[in-house]
């Protein structure tokens, strides 16, 4: 998964899609959910909001007016958990102001720390793991009567297939198609926090796709820790079949997915992507390292040669397909030579973007037992080197876009300047363009933008039609 700090900013676009009927507060209680970590967590928060809304809670978009505050957390690296501990310290202020405030921790950190969270963070009333969200209303009710709640069982079957996530803003929807991971990369805590792989039904996802289009959504991202493992046994369908079925169910909807594992990046999937115009030509394919020795220690199950061969197959079928990756710096025993191999691989592939991390040891994983022998200053230096190289490559790729015309899906006002709006290209690049009341486009429109300027992260241009 792409692991991004998720900030839920309300969009003030003119037209945003709403996916479910929302119960509004009529003297009832209010809920605020704050989401950290990956996009799967964002979708999980929408599932929790849906469950709680059905039980009469009105959803509010800040902690000030909330009777219940739930933090949906990430455990992938130590710094993600440290952020949550800091946030919990801040929440003491709200608890002091409002004695009966209920505070809960959801998600991967809840699953990992379980009772330790209740014992060490006195403020926390509830700890709920990713497969137990159906219990949230009853546990919150008990918390109002002063009982602490813990629900952290992992399930082999829970997919929340029957729950329509409560999406209240934007035109882009996250859609989880499967949960859990069976890959057991040696650095990764996810198999322990999210349990075994299981998939939703193809019919359920296709119905949701149609419903999203009818509700005004214009882009959807199919989510899974490892989407290539998707299977609907009844229909004998794999991920490529699902992707094709979604593309056909909503032919104007932009369809994305994340994350693929390089080991299972099949020819069939590449052909399916190439065959449908509305499947975005963008692939996030985490490589993690450019050294076969390190890849083997990581239990990634592919070699650099295999990875590069898959990249060639992608570029052959879709010459303009954008690519991004994840890189870990300072995995146990990583030598300077291994690091240089990662640098070379990145220079050879020339990714459009990359998510780059310092290795963070996680309890229970196999890498935990390998020790954490790379000193922090070495990890930092290597990380800075890969970041700098990637920024240069991204800048060069974006510079080459100057003078081209991009089809852009309009998302709404840009974060920095009210006189500008932003959108995204099919290849997932952010594009900024001018906006005023005569601009003639609204959120969700697809417009053409002539690119005039760029940075390593963003394209800037003028609208040439709308
Ligand atoms: N330390 C650093 N990065 C990690 N990732 C997963 N586990 C760790 C860890 N222990 C990174 C991987 C993965 C992304 C979601 O997070 O690059 O692809
Ligand atoms: Fe973690 Fe590997 Fe599964 Fe991704 S594929 S969630 S990195 S175990």
């Amino acid at each position: 998964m792409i692991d991004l700090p998720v900030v839920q900013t309300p969009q003030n676009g003119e037209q945003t899609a709403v996916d479910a009927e929302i119960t509004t507060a009529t003297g009832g209680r209010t809920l605020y959910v704050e989401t950290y970590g990956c996009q799967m967590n964002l979708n999980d928060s929408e599932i929790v909001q849906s469950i709680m809304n059905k039980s009469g809670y009105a959803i509010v978009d800040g902690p000030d007016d909330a009777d219940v505050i739930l933090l949906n957390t990430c455990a992938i690296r130590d710094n993600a958990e440290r952020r949550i501990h800091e946030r919990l310290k801040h929440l003491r202020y709200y608890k002091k102001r409002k004695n009966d405030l209920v505070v809960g921790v959801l998600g991967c950190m809840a699953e990992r720390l379980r009772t330790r969270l209740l014992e060490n963070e006195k403020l926390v009333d509830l700890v709920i793991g990713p497969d137990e969200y159906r219990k949230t209303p009853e546990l919150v009710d008990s918390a109002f009567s002063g009982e602490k709640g813990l629900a952290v069982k992992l399930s082999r079957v829970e997919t929340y297939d029957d729950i329509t996530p409560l999406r209240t803003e934007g035109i882009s929807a996250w859609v989880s198609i499967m949960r859990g991971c069976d890959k057991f990369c040696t650095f990764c805590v996810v198999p322990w926090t999210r349990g075994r792989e299981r998939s939703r039904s193809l019919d359920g996802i296709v119905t949701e796709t149609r419903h999203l289009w009818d509700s005004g959504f214009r882009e959807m991202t199919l989510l899974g820790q490892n989407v290539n493992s998707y299977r609907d046994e009844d229909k004998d369908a794999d991920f490529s079949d699902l992707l094709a079925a979604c593309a056909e169910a909503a032919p104007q909807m932009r369809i994305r997915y994340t994350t693929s594992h390089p080991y299972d990046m099949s020819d069939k999937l590449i052909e399916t992507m190439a065959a449908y115009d509305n499947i975005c030509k963008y692939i996030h394919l985490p490589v993690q390292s450019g050294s076969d020795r390190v890849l083997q220690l990581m239990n990634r199950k592919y070699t650099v040669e295999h990875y590069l061969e898959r990249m060639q197959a992608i570029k052959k079928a879709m010459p303009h397909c954008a690519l991004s990756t994840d890189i870990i710096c300072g995995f146990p025993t990583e030598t300077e030579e291994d690091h240089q191999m990662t640098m070379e691989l990145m220079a050879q592939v020339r990714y459009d973007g990359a998510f780059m991390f310092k290795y963070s040891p996680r309890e229970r994983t196999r890498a935990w037992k390998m020790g954490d022998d790379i000193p922090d200053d070495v990890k930092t230096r290597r990380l800075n080197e890969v970041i700098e190289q990637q920024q240069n490559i991204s800048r060069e790729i974006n510079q080459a876009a100057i003078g081209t015309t991009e089809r852009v899906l309009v998302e709404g006002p840009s974060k920095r300047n009210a006189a500008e709006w932003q959108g995204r290209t099919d290849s997932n690049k952010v594009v900024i363009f001018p906006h005023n009341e005569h601009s003639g486009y609204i959120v969700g429109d697809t417009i053409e933008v002539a690119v005039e300027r760029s940075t390593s992260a963003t394209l800037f241009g003028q609208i040439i039609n709308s």
Side-chain angles (χ1 to χ4, degrees):
M1 295 298 306
I2 306 178
D3 177 53
L4 299 168
V6 174
V7 186
Q8 285 181 302
T9 41
Q11 300 197 0
N12 56 345
E14 289 165 27
Q15 190 189 58
T16 53
V18 174
D19 191 28
E21 209 168 285
I22 304 167
T23 307
T24 45
T26 45
R29 284 182 166 142
T30 53
L31 165 72
Y32 169 59
V33 184
E34 195 165 280
T35 310
Y36 295 81
C38 64
Q39 295 95 332
M40 290 211 69
N41 262 12
L42 254 186
N43 192 226
D44 278 3
S45 290
E46 293 168 342
I47 287 169
V48 172
Q49 289 181 173
S50 172
I51 293 169
M52 290 293 279
N53 192 240
K54 286 222 165 68
S55 296
Y57 287 82
I59 313 301
V60 291
D61 57 12
D64 288 321
D65 309 318
D67 299 310
V68 181
I69 299 177
L70 300 176
L71 304 186
N72 193 2
T73 62
C74 172
I76 197 118
R77 282 170 293 276
D78 187 50
N79 55 9
E81 291 197 3
R82 259 184 278 142
R83 267 181 81 198
I84 305 295
H85 286 297
E86 283 304 310
R87 184 63 177 143
L88 286 170
K89 273 191 211 143
H90 281 125
L91 292 184
R92 282 186 208 149
Y93 158 80
Y94 292 96
K95 193 99 171 185
K96 266 195 204 126
R97 261 192 359 185
K98 192 177 200 244
N99 239 337
D100 60 348
L101 174 74
V102 169
V103 174
V105 178
L106 316 178
C108 289
M109 189 177 163
E111 189 63 47
R112 198 180 85 75
L113 294 176
R114 303 175 167 209
T115 47
R116 278 189 274 172
L117 256 178
L118 286 175
E119 284 154 13
N120 299 338
E121 298 279 359
K122 296 285 173 260
L123 161 105
V124 174
D125 303 297
L126 299 171
V127 172
I128 309 178
D131 287 346
E132 296 263 47
Y133 293 146
R134 288 179 201 269
K135 290 188 183 154
T136 312
E138 101 195 47
L139 289 169
V140 169
D141 273 355
S142 309
F144 276 118
S145 350
E147 258 176 62
K148 297 256 172 189
L150 178 75
V152 288
K153 262 207 208 109
L154 287 171
S155 158
R156 284 185 177 267
V157 292
E158 179 63 274
T159 61
Y160 303 108
D161 202 20
D162 57 317
I163 295 177
T164 306
L166 190 74
R167 303 180 175 99
T168 53
E169 58 195 38
I171 41 140
S172 297
W174 306 109
V175 177
S176 299
I177 59 162
M178 56 172 303
R179 301 179 72 83
C181 184
D182 288 354
K183 284 279 185 220
F184 288 95
C185 301
T186 57
F187 51 80
C188 186
V189 78
V190 164
W192 283 272
T193 59
R194 287 189 166 264
R196 299 285 59 74
E197 273 171 13
R198 65 223 103 110
S199 300
R200 288 178 57 192
S201 69
L202 183 139
D203 286 345
I205 299 164
V206 167
T207 304
E208 187 172 356
T209 303
R210 281 198 202 99
H211 173 73
L212 286 171
W213 178 261
D214 292 342
S215 316
F217 287 90
R218 293 296 171 257
E219 180 178 66
M220 65 189 273
T221 307
L222 305 179
L223 297 175
Q225 242 72 41
N226 172 26
V227 289
N228 309 96
S229 298
Y230 176 85
R231 281 220 60 85
D232 182 325
E233 296 296 347
D234 296 339
K235 290 206 140 43
D236 193 23
D238 63 11
F239 179 61
S240 306
D241 300 323
L242 172 72
L243 200 55
C246 293
E248 281 168 26
Q252 303 298 317
M253 177 89 94
R254 268 191 181 178
I255 299 179
R256 303 184 184 282
Y257 67 88
T258 196
T259 298
S260 255
H261 192 293
Y263 178 78
D264 317 295
M265 185 80 215
S266 66
D267 286 337
K268 182 177 171 189
L269 177 53
I270 296 171
E271 282 157 21
T272 306
M273 285 185 74
Y276 292 90
D277 276 350
N278 61 328
I279 301 178
C280 292
K281 304 299 178 273
Y282 166 71
I283 303 179
H284 180 65
L285 202 60
V287 69
Q288 313 295 1
S289 168
S291 153
D292 283 340
R293 190 187 69 83
V294 173
L295 287 175
Q296 198 173 7
L297 284 177
M298 288 176 164
N299 190 33
R300 289 293 287 180
K301 302 184 172 85
Y302 54 83
T303 59
V304 170
E305 192 186 347
H306 170 86
Y307 186 89
L308 289 174
E309 187 278 317
R310 290 291 77 197
M311 285 282 164
Q312 268 171 11
I314 291 166
K315 284 286 181 189
K316 191 163 170 230
M318 299 173 283
H320 299 294
C321 188
L323 298 165
S324 64
T325 199
D326 291 344
I327 300 286
I328 296 179
C329 296
F331 185 80
T333 78
E334 185 188 69
T335 61
E336 226 30 62
E337 209 184 345
D338 295 320
H339 167 62
Q340 284 311 323
M341 289 177 182
T342 301
M343 294 282 284
E344 276 158 32
L345 175 82
M346 294 175 78
Q348 189 175 346
V349 176
R350 292 182 64 79
Y351 295 102
D352 293 76
F355 300 88
M356 296 155 282
F357 313 103
K358 274 200 271 185
Y359 170 68
S360 167
R362 309 311 286 142
E363 240 176 311
R364 298 181 76 181
T365 61
R366 264 165 57 206
W368 172 263
K369 298 188 199 92
M370 297 176 197
D372 184 19
D373 60 331
I374 310 300
D376 193 58
D377 58 334
V378 176
K379 284 185 192 170
T380 304
R381 197 245 313 140
R382 290 180 187 168
L383 177 66
N384 287 339
E385 284 174 14
V386 295
I387 290 175
E388 196 191 329
Q389 173 173 267
Q390 182 55 47
Q391 276 177 346
N392 289 337
I393 293 170
S394 298
R395 190 175 307 112
E396 285 163 18
I397 291 176
N398 286 352
Q399 240 159 31
I402 296 173
T404 64
T405 300
E406 297 281 351
R407 280 173 69 73
V408 175
L409 178 63
V410 178
E411 290 177 352
S414 87
K415 291 182 181 95
R416 296 219 179 112
N417 181 346
E420 291 175 335
W421 274 27
Q422 73 168 52
R424 244 166 242 270
T425 65
D426 179 280
S427 59
N428 212 23
K429 293 201 165 98
V430 174
V431 184
I432 308 279
F433 42 88
H435 178 81
N436 59 46
E437 65 268 33
H438 310 297
S439 294
Y441 57 79
I442 57 170
V443 173
D445 280 353
T446 301
I447 58 171
E448 297 210 334
V449 176
V451 180
E452 293 180 332
R453 185 164 73 78
S454 67
T455 65
S456 60
T458 314
L459 307 178
F460 300 82
Q462 298 294 332
I463 300 156
I464 54 175
N465 77 355
S466 59

